[in-house]
Amino acid sequence: MNRDGRRISVRPDAFESFAFENGDRLTIKPRALAARLTKTPDGSSHILVGDARAIRVPPRYDLAEFKGFKLPTHLVILTGAGPETLDPIGTAHIRHYEKFMGLRPDMTLLEIGCGIGRDAMQLIDYLSPEGRYIGIDVTRDSVEWCRRNIAARYRNFEFHHFDAQHELYNPLGSKTSLDFALPAEAGSVDRVFLGSVFTHLFEAEVVHYMKEIRRVLRPDGLAYATFFRYSPEIIAAAVRTNRTPFGLRFEHPYGDGCYINDAAYPTGAVAYTDEAMARMIDAASLKLTAPYLRGWWSGYYEEADDGQDVAILTPR
Ligand SMILES: C[S@@+](CC[C@H](N)C(=O)[O-])C[C@H]1O[C@@H](n2cnc3c(N)ncnc32)[C@H](O)[C@@H]1O
């Protein structure tokens, strides 16, 4: 590693406890090994340092300050947006949960795909001591950061790593989501949320998570799951308006009612038809509490409720 012209060695197994500073430049040695490592489209290299324990090494380590935390920028970017949007997007998420599901500070909340804790950080001041937050993700470095920085200070917050393989988020993962149960008792959770997670998963994993959500939710519990809704009209509007930086057109059919945006990178963005969504919701014994919320991404709706389309689910 190069810090202001000084060379510093960091062993892979010491990577997650090393105190990186803004602007540290990372080079993996020996070069022959570096060339063989798995790389993801975000520019990071991935090294397995133990059982179900891979590290994500960016070419440069930068830190963004937010709410008294210092967040590694390469992990923030995996949310799909940069550090400058942590606050507006995080507050909008909580506002949407309040508006469309209702939230109370004493609730038990479970988030699948918590990433770097964008929503969790907004909930620190919101939850009362009776409230509880459980975050799950496949990006191990983000979960590890949340554990060391959020859970270590706030006892009603906990974070769990699922070592499910994912092209971008956990390329060295050894399992799939189907190998994991949500870490909560049956009927114990008030609210579940998944922000842009079903947009990266195929049917088997979506159905598995829906079944698990059904299991952990209280009978009157609710889940807020964002997704890309596919219909010829919605896609025509998305192509016309091209609102996102991701060029979302979903031109490639990929199974029954499933469409992907990039044939070379299938889980980069996944969309589902209403029929496919209904089939998955039904298979999990869930039901919609309202029509899908209207996503801004496609430009199809005159007025939007959230960035992506949203299914609000409850046990059937
Ligand atoms: C676009 S990011 C959104 C992160 C977070 N929801 C937010 O709004 O900041 C998608 C997240 O889903 C996570 N993810 C992908 N596949 C997953 C899976 N099978 N189980 C749980 N999380 C997954 C990724 O690691 C990533 O953190």
Side-chain angles (χ1 to χ4, degrees):
M1 187 191 80
N2 191 317
R3 177 179 293 168
D4 300 330
R6 271 183 308 131
R7 285 183 194 286
I8 303 173
S9 295
V10 185
R11 292 180 52 83
D13 57 2
F15 184 81
E16 60 204 19
S17 54
F18 187 80
F20 286 102
E21 291 182 5
N22 219 10
D24 284 346
R25 291 178 186 281
L26 279 52
T27 316
I28 297 170
K29 298 274 178 70
R31 280 187 193 281
L33 167 74
R36 287 202 311 271
L37 292 174
T38 299
K39 293 203 176 49
T40 40
D42 58 317
S44 293
S45 300
H46 299 259
I47 307 174
L48 205 55
V49 294
D51 192 24
R53 194 167 156 232
I55 54 169
R56 177 177 218 109
V57 184
R60 182 186 154 115
Y61 214 102
D62 283 308
L63 294 160
E65 301 216 7
F66 180 59
K67 287 187 180 286
F69 296 107
K70 285 189 175 169
L71 294 91
T73 314
H74 68 286
L75 300 178
V76 174
I77 281 164
L78 295 178
T79 62
E84 67 290 349
T85 59
L86 278 170
D87 204 43
I89 296 183
T91 50
H93 285 176
I94 306 306
R95 207 170 50 241
H96 292 144
Y97 305 151
E98 285 180 317
K99 176 171 175 187
F100 296 110
M101 296 195 291
L103 281 189
R104 274 199 332 268
D106 61 349
M107 281 181 165
T108 295
L109 311 176
L110 186 146
E111 180 175 16
I112 300 173
C114 59
I116 191 71
R118 183 159 62 174
D119 288 4
M121 287 184 282
Q122 297 291 340
L123 292 165
I124 288 171
D125 292 332
Y126 177 83
L127 282 187
S128 69
E130 296 73 37
R132 182 174 171 215
Y133 170 96
I134 305 161
I136 288 129
D137 208 289
V138 302
T139 301
R140 190 176 165 282
D141 304 66
S142 296
V143 169
E144 199 53 39
W145 185 90
C146 289
R147 280 185 180 149
R148 289 168 186 259
N149 291 277
I150 304 177
R153 282 163 60 186
Y154 302 99
R155 294 296 167 194
N156 48 349
F157 283 72
E158 61 189 86
F159 295 89
H160 301 261
H161 178 232
F162 284 5
D163 193 34
Q165 201 272 349
H166 189 282
E167 278 175 297
L168 169 60
Y169 296 109
N170 190 22
L172 302 184
S174 57
K175 298 183 171 173
T176 82
S177 308
L178 278 66
D179 295 309
F180 296 92
L182 294 178
E185 297 287 313
S188 66
V189 174
D190 297 289
R191 300 289 182 260
V192 174
F193 34 95
L194 311 91
S196 197
V197 178
F198 289 167
T199 53
H200 298 290
L201 299 185
F202 293 125
E203 181 155 346
E205 290 191 285
V206 173
V207 170
H208 172 72
Y209 273 139
M210 285 188 177
K211 286 183 175 169
E212 275 296 290
I213 290 168
R214 169 74 174 81
R215 180 182 69 78
V216 301
L217 272 181
R218 292 185 200 282
D220 60 349
L222 294 168
Y224 188 102
T226 77
F227 72 106
F228 290 125
R229 186 177 181 197
Y230 184 101
S231 77
E233 299 75 24
I234 291 174
I235 298 309
V239 171
R240 198 173 59 247
T241 61
N242 195 23
R243 279 189 164 175
T244 74
F246 310 112
L248 296 174
R249 310 168 77 97
F250 295 107
E251 282 170 337
H252 310 282
Y254 208 77
D256 195 0
C258 174
Y259 292 80
I260 58 170
N261 197 51
D262 182 348
Y265 177 35
T267 54
V270 183
Y272 288 104
T273 61
D274 287 0
E275 292 72 23
M277 283 298 285
R279 179 174 70 234
M280 295 190 276
I281 292 168
D282 191 51
S285 299
L286 289 165
K287 64 179 182 194
L288 288 167
T289 62
Y292 293 124
L293 301 186
R294 300 160 296 179
W296 171 90
W297 70 275
S298 64
Y300 176 65
Y301 303 103
E302 257 174 42
E303 247 183 79
D305 301 301
D306 197 344
Q308 298 176 353
D309 307 296
V310 184
I312 301 188
L313 303 164
T314 195
R316 205 173 57 206

